[in-house]
């Protein structure tokens, strides 16, 4: 799960940076505010890569997805991009857990067959 979710988060890191460049063209937004908010969101993307396997990691990732969609208020394209990344996040979590379960079953089978006295037939 960690690899898939981290890949999604790193993709979001870049999308947030590009969205900040677009948001800077809005005369109603101060450049310092745009970069502060975008910088925090970009930092969270990277920080979540390290805590994704913890219990709250997935929930924080969902919160980031909601914030990404909500950023469409200032950059309308982010409604679409946020929805795409929310779908990718769901797939990363869902299939990542399935992969982790399959790896655990495979490791248990390998450990069982390597145990002393195991059937070698």
């Amino acid at each position: 799960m960690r690899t898939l979710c981290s890949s999604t988060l790193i993709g979001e890191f870049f999308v947030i940076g590009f969205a900040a460049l677009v948001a800077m063209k809005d005369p109603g937004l101060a450049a310092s505010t745009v970069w502060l908010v975008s910088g925090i969101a970009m930092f969270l993307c990277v920080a979540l890569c390290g805590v994704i396997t913890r219990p709250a990691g997935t929930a924080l990732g969902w919160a980031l997805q909601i914030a990404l969609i909500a950023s469409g208020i200032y950059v309308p394209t982010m409604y679409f991009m946020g929805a795409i990344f929310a779908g990718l996040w769901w797939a990363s979590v869902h299939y990542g857990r399935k992969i982790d379960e399959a790896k655990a079953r495979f490791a248990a089978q390998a450990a069982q067959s390597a145990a002393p006295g195991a059937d070698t037939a």
Side-chain angles (χ1 to χ4, degrees), residues 16-97:
I16 292 168
F18 291 131
L21 293 172
V22 172
M24 292 218 6
K25 300 222 185 265
D26 186 346
L29 298 173
S32 59
T33 303
V34 169
W35 285 112
L36 177 67
V37 172
S38 297
I40 290 170
M42 292 168 78
F43 171 78
L44 287 175
C45 287
V46 175
L48 277 173
C49 289
V51 297
I52 196 60
T53 56
R54 306 251 166 100
T58 304
L60 290 172
W62 279 114
L64 183 65
Q65 303 314 311
I66 292 167
L68 196 63
I69 293 170
S71 70
I73 293 169
Y74 299 105
V75 180
T77 306
M78 291 307 290
Y79 285 126
F80 174 72
M81 293 303 294
I84 294 292
F85 274 100
L88 286 171
W89 182 253
W90 175 85
S92 298
V93 171
H94 179 73
Y95 292 112
R97 285 182 177 155

